[in-house]
């Protein structure tokens, strides 16, 4: 199929066809959408774009998010005007906060019916202004290629994020107009890379080389930039200890002797990094990379030492200095890390090399202390099961090529602490932009669509999973294979425990009635089992990981809660 931006086939080649050709030029081969805009989807099917048909729009936007994070290409989602469009908002808001590029194509009422209270007419411009980088409506066939390119450029350059193109239903059926041929492909990200000035790079390298106790804390921007190899080279070249945020997990191997693990708001009892805390609190120079310094990543802004010198790499200059004054290194994470490593290699690294063995020993001892403390829960054979043991069983069966997806709330904390990143670049997908529950399964469907050969394991709680039961049918209908591990404790765990901790009681919404989730999954065509004991869990995981669609409902202890620092009583 010719993907040039020029009408093909005369009057039979419509604006809908032209939009599809533009998307093909930008590398789009999958679109997450229901039936509308119908003219677009019918043209896309004929021209080679696969439609991944979600059941609910909020899940569809999240699928596009998961796809983009794994593919390194823009995710595309479609929706009808009105109520369907409003349901895109949560997913786009997550992508906006997490800096993930998504293009939302939203059908509009016919242009002649604008502002006449047409069926399901709504002010979409106002709706999306708070959750998208850029929102426009195409009103003339002559500007189709211009607007598609502007949208994708806005989404994939600078700080990435979602954009919205509104498409009047009548416009899609009009004949396309001949325009100048565009050839550029801009659907990958980051589209444009930049780095700080040489003098800034040299100053940062000198500060790191001479620091007594330096530390790197890598955020999700490392993954978005494709900077894992660059970060690993810096870690090894300069013998720098590296910690990550939740979204940065997997940026470095957690078996590397200089890796701390994930730091932030859950460094209490049994946390994988509880005994790493002094390495953070005693740091004299901290390099932040693609890190928003948000509340969770800084344990409510208490974790980073007040007297440390901070260096901050971020593509968005407004994030630098938002919560901590820092030496500004505004630019792409990959290029900036490579430049700092090059500058360090040309200088004196004797201090870094001399201190490496003692630093590695300190990290190794902290890991051993964690294992000693957590042994009771990670080796527990109790029924209901401990979630730490469930994670340990999953971890033992994952290779470095696996993609692990976790829902928000407790699920992401269990995964973060007890499933290891086995290599630099191993992907852990969590909705930590806004951290809405229910996004685990849609993220996993999107991730699997982007990487069909990779084993994908999704961990979610029963509270969040109830938001998206219907997407089990989507996975079957779209022939998307993954393993779903549902942690069923019968309660809205985080809410119940947080309310009890703060108020001494909890609200009525926290306890659920009995639901056989495995039966729901079987009804949707999944192989599904409910397990109460570790032996049965192990057997189910052996059958399920990387092999078809498997749903494992793990009955866990409702009294188990993660090592959240503010709720820690030890």
């Amino acid at each position: 199929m010719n993907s040039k931006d020029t009408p093909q086939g005369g009057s039979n080649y419509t604006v809908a066809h032209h939009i599809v050709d533009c998307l093909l030029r930008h590398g789009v081969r999958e679109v997450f959408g229901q039936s509308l805009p119908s003219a677009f989807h019918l043209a896309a099917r004929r021209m080679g774009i696969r439609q991944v048909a979600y059941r609910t729009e909020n899940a569809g936007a999240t699928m596009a998010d998961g796809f983009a994070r794994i593919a390194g290409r823009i995710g595309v989602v479609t929706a009808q005007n009105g109520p369907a469009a409003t349901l895109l908002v949560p997913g786009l808001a997550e992508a906006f906060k997490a800096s993930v590029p998504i293009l939302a194509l939203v059908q509009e009422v016919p242009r002649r019916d604008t502002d006449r209270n047409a069926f399901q007419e709504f002010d979409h411009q106002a709706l999306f202004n708070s959750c998208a980088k850029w929102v426009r409506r195409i009103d003339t066939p002559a500007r189709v290629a211009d607007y598609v390119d502007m949208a994708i450029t806005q989404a994939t350059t600078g700080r990435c994020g979602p954009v919205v193109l509104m498409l009047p239903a009548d416009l899609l059926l009009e004949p396309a107009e001949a325009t100048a041929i565009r050839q550029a492909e801009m659907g990958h990200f980051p589209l444009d890379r930049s780095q700080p000035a040489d003098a800034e790079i040299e100053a940062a390298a000198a500060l790191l080389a001479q620091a007594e106790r330096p530390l790197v804390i890598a955020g999700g921007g490392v993954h978005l930039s494709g900077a894992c190899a660059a970060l690993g080279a810096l870690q090894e070249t300069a013998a720098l200890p590296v910690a990550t945020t939740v979204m940065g997990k997997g940026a470095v191997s957690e078996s590397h002797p200089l890796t701390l693990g994930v730091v932030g708001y859950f460094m209490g009892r049994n946390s994988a990094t509880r005994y790493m805390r002094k390495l953070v609190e005693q740091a004299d120079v901290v390099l932040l990379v693609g890190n928003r310094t948000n509340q969770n990543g800084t344990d409510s802004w208490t974790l980073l030492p007040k007297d440390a010198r901070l260096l901050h790499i971020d593509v968005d200059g407004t994030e630098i200095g938002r919560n901590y004054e820092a030496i500004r290194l505004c630019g792409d994470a990959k290029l900036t890390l490579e430049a700092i490593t090059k500058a360090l290699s040309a200088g004196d690294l004797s201090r870094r090399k001399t201190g490496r063995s003692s630093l590695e020993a300190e990290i190794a001892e902290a890991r051993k202390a964690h294992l000693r403390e957590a042994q009771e829960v990670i080796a527990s054979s109790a029924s209901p099961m401990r979630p730490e043991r469930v994670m340990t069983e999953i971890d033992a069966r994952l290779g470095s090529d696996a993609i692990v997806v976790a829902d928000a709330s407790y699920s992401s904390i269990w995964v973060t602490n007890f499933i290891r990143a086995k290599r630099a670049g191993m992907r852990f997908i969590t909705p930590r932009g806004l951290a809405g529950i229910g996004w685990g399964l849609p993220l996993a469907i999107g991730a699997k669509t982007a990487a069909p050969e990779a084993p994908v394991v999704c961990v979610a709680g029963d509270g969040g999973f109830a938001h998206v039961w219907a997407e089990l049918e989507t996975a079957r209908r779209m022939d998307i294979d993954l393993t779903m591990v549902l942690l069923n404790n019968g309660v809205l765990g985080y809410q119940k425990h947080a309310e009890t901790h703060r108020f001494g009681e909890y609200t009525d919404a926290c306890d659920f009635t009995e639901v056989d989730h495995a039966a729901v999954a079987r009804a949707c065509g999944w192989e599904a089992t409910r397990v109460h004991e570790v032996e049965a869990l192990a057997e189910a995981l052996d059958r399920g990981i990387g092999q078809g669609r498997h749903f494992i409902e793990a009955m866990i202890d409702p009294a188990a809660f993660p090592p959240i620092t503010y709720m820690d009583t030890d």
Side-chain angles (χ1 to χ4, degrees):
M1 176 60 64
N2 191 328
S3 62
K4 300 295 185 183
D5 293 333
T6 184
Q8 306 292 323
S11 62
N12 292 326
Y13 187 86
T14 65
V15 167
H17 293 93
H18 196 183
I19 292 171
V20 174
D21 259 337
C22 291
L23 294 179
L24 287 168
R25 172 166 55 86
H26 291 297
V28 175
R29 298 296 181 270
E30 302 86 5
V31 171
F32 298 88
Q34 287 190 349
S35 295
L36 296 171
S38 300
F40 167 81
H41 280 295
L42 291 170
R45 182 175 64 189
R46 290 192 292 269
M47 298 169 71
I49 290 182
R50 178 191 181 198
Q51 179 182 2
V52 181
Y54 56 72
R55 296 295 296 263
T56 62
E57 285 77 12
N58 52 3
T62 307
M63 291 175 194
D65 181 342
F67 174 89
R69 295 195 203 195
I70 295 300
R73 294 186 285 115
I74 192 168
V76 181
V77 64
T78 68
Q80 184 181 358
N81 49 291
T86 67
L87 291 174
L88 291 179
V89 169
L92 296 185
E94 165 67 24
F96 185 77
K97 294 290 286 186
S99 307
V100 178
I102 294 174
L103 169 60
L105 300 175
V106 177
Q107 179 168 289
E108 273 278 27
V109 300
R111 287 164 291 178
R112 65 180 178 276
D113 295 336
T114 299
D115 292 331
R116 299 184 67 188
N117 288 330
F119 180 65
Q120 295 186 334
E121 182 181 13
F122 198 72
D123 186 348
H124 296 122
Q125 180 82 41
L127 174 71
F128 292 118
N129 273 340
S130 67
C131 61
K133 287 181 65 177
W134 184 89
V135 184
R136 295 292 190 277
R137 187 173 93 163
I138 305 178
D139 281 321
T140 174
R143 298 299 307 281
V144 167
D146 298 340
Y147 273 104
V148 171
D149 280 23
M150 280 191 282
I152 290 180
T153 301
Q154 286 281 350
T156 60
T157 195
R159 180 173 181 169
C160 297
V163 297
V164 179
L165 267 181
M166 296 176 290
L167 310 174
D170 60 319
L171 175 75
L172 292 170
L173 299 175
E174 287 190 4
E177 292 187 15
T179 58
I181 295 175
R182 289 174 174 260
Q183 298 180 337
E185 183 278 309
M186 296 179 289
H188 63 280
F189 66 93
L191 179 60
D192 302 309
R193 295 183 186 266
S194 61
Q195 70 180 60
D198 290 346
E200 295 172 327
I201 295 292
E202 294 290 341
L207 197 57
L208 289 167
Q210 296 305 311
E212 291 286 345
R213 293 180 67 85
L215 175 67
V216 180
I217 305 180
V222 173
H223 288 296
L224 294 171
S225 174
C228 296
L231 178 59
L234 176 65
Q235 180 182 39
E236 191 60 37
T237 299
L240 291 174
V242 178
T244 73
T245 64
V246 174
M247 290 192 69
K249 185 178 173 71
V252 288
S253 169
E254 290 178 339
S255 63
H256 191 286
L258 290 171
T259 296
L260 278 65
V262 177
V263 298
Y265 71 111
F266 45 73
M267 297 177 74
R269 182 173 178 79
N270 294 329
S271 165
T273 53
R274 182 183 189 188
Y275 296 99
M276 305 284 186
R277 192 176 187 104
K278 74 173 185 177
L279 287 164
V280 181
E281 294 177 337
Q282 294 178 4
D284 60 341
V285 174
V286 178
L287 173 61
L288 303 168
V289 188
N291 183 332
R292 293 180 294 155
T293 63
N294 65 0
Q295 184 172 10
N296 286 353
T298 60
D299 200 4
S300 295
W301 305 287
T302 65
L303 184 60
L304 299 187
K306 294 180 180 179
D307 297 331
R309 297 286 302 278
L310 268 58
L311 304 157
H312 197 162
I313 300 171
D314 204 287
V315 71
D316 182 356
T318 65
E319 287 295 340
I320 302 172
R322 176 189 290 273
N323 295 311
Y324 300 93
E325 187 172 18
I327 296 171
R328 300 178 62 82
L329 295 167
C330 187
D332 172 66
K334 180 176 183 288
L335 291 187
T336 305
L337 288 170
E338 289 174 344
I340 291 174
T341 301
K342 182 178 180 180
L344 282 164
S345 299
D348 181 5
L349 288 174
S350 57
R351 174 171 286 184
R352 299 273 63 77
K353 293 177 180 178
T354 299
R356 176 167 182 158
S357 60
S358 61
L359 177 59
E360 288 184 354
E362 189 175 358
I363 292 172
E365 182 52 42
R367 290 176 180 172
K368 291 177 184 177
H370 158 65
L371 291 175
R372 287 193 298 268
E373 177 180 75
Q375 183 64 23
E376 181 180 351
V377 290
I378 62 178
S380 172
S381 296
S383 177
M385 294 178 287
R386 289 288 307 193
E388 300 93 338
R389 180 64 188 271
V390 176
M391 298 302 108
T392 301
E393 293 294 327
I394 296 171
D395 180 62
R397 291 163 174 80
L398 296 182
S400 62
D401 62 333
I403 297 170
V404 182
V405 181
D407 208 339
S409 194
Y410 277 5
S411 297
S412 59
I413 305 176
W414 296 128
V415 164
T416 298
N417 278 279
F418 297 99
I419 298 181
R420 297 165 299 146
K422 296 175 170 61
R423 65 174 174 87
M426 184 175 175
R427 294 309 304 271
F428 292 80
I429 307 298
T430 56
R432 306 307 293 187
L434 282 182
I437 61 174
W439 293 341
L441 178 58
L443 284 171
I445 290 174
K448 185 67 175 183
T449 303
E453 302 305 316
V456 175
V457 176
C458 177
V459 177
D462 52 335
F465 178 63
H467 292 240
V468 288
W469 287 346
E471 305 308 333
L472 289 171
E473 187 275 336
T474 298
R476 180 191 180 192
R477 177 166 35 89
M478 295 289 102
D479 196 24
I480 295 169
D481 293 343
L482 56 91
T483 303
M484 177 93 193
V485 179
L486 180 74
L487 304 179
N488 185 351
N489 58 7
V491 298
L492 198 59
Y494 205 143
Q495 196 66 28
K496 183 174 184 177
H497 295 150
E499 289 178 356
T500 301
H501 177 79
R502 184 172 183 182
F503 302 108
E505 56 183 337
Y506 56 88
T507 57
D508 294 342
C510 294
D511 289 325
F512 301 137
T513 191
E514 164 67 17
V515 175
D516 188 341
H517 300 89
V520 173
R522 280 193 294 272
C524 292
W526 288 53
E527 182 173 331
T529 184
R530 173 182 277 197
V531 295
H532 297 264
E533 298 177 345
V534 172
E535 292 77 8
L537 171 68
E539 292 175 4
L541 290 171
D542 287 339
R543 291 194 308 271
I545 291 181
Q547 304 176 60
R549 283 177 296 280
H550 285 260
F551 186 97
I552 302 167
E553 184 176 13
M555 308 304 290
I556 65 167
D557 183 356
F561 58 90
I564 299 169
T565 308
Y566 86 89
M567 289 197 288
D568 192 15
T569 58
D570 191 354

